[in-house]
Amino acid sequence: MLKKLFGSKKTEKQTEETVFAPLTGKLLQLEEVPDPVFSQKMMGDGMAIEPSEGILVSPVEGEIIQLFHTKHAIGIRSQTGMEILLHIGLETVAMNGEGFEAFVKEGDSVKPGDKLISFDLDLIKEKAASTITPIIITNGDIVESVQKASVGQVNGGKDKVFDIKVK
């Protein structure tokens, strides 16, 4: 009777999650990324987006676990425990932060659509290998299944890129 009145303390661990597009642009299969580290899934499975605008938003509800000092990449741990790496462009680390502005820091809580980083798309086109941005699940060992969305145009924070189920 007390459980009915006050609720149970036991909370169910979330096991399913939707990962939304962190950018507006063209959704691509990971195999299409012109960098073997990503296309051969050396860092993990995922998808990629060729952005049409320079705003990176959170694809999930979770916590910022890593923000690279060059602001070209960010890591997020979602509510299911899945860890996602968002890597803006290819070979953008060499830009040493030029053209990137972060709006979050490590330890911040985020939800889908929250602005994480803005970046100068034209500058990346000029100085880096590509604007293509991989979305990588870096701890795939906890993932039971991934249902990927069809490739094509996506809106950042609104359209899903995959649904996952964790073990």
Side-chain angles (χ1 to χ4, degrees), residues 22 27-33 38 41 44-49 85-86 132-137 146-152 160-162:
L27 184 64
L28 307 167
Q29 294 293 338
L30 201 55
E31 293 80 5
E32 296 178 67
V33 176
F38 297 111
K41 302 179 183 179
D45 199 2
M47 296 198 71
I49 295 177
L85 172 69
L86 305 172
I132 291 174
T133 299
I135 307 155
I136 307 295
I137 300 169
V146 178
Q147 181 68 40
K148 295 181 181 180
S150 300
V151 296
K160 72 177 174 181
V161 290
F162 39 83

Side-chain angles (χ1 to χ4, degrees), residues 136-147:
I136 307 295
I137 300 169
T138 57
N139 63 340
D141 56 312
I142 74 159
V143 176
E144 185 176 302
S145 65
V146 178
Q147 181 68 40

Side-chain angles (χ1 to χ4, degrees), residues 22-23 51 53-58 67-68 70-74 88-89 92 95 97-104 114-124 133:
L23 297 159
E53 56 185 48
I55 299 171
L56 183 78
V57 299
S58 181
L67 175 61
F68 290 74
T70 51
K71 302 179 189 81
H72 76 288
I74 192 166
I88 302 167
T92 46
M95 293 173 66
E98 181 186 2
F100 296 88
E101 182 182 357
F103 295 90
V104 292
D114 285 356
K115 189 174 182 177
L116 303 176
I117 298 172
S118 66
F119 53 95
D120 186 330
L121 202 52
D122 291 330
L123 193 63
I124 292 174
T133 299

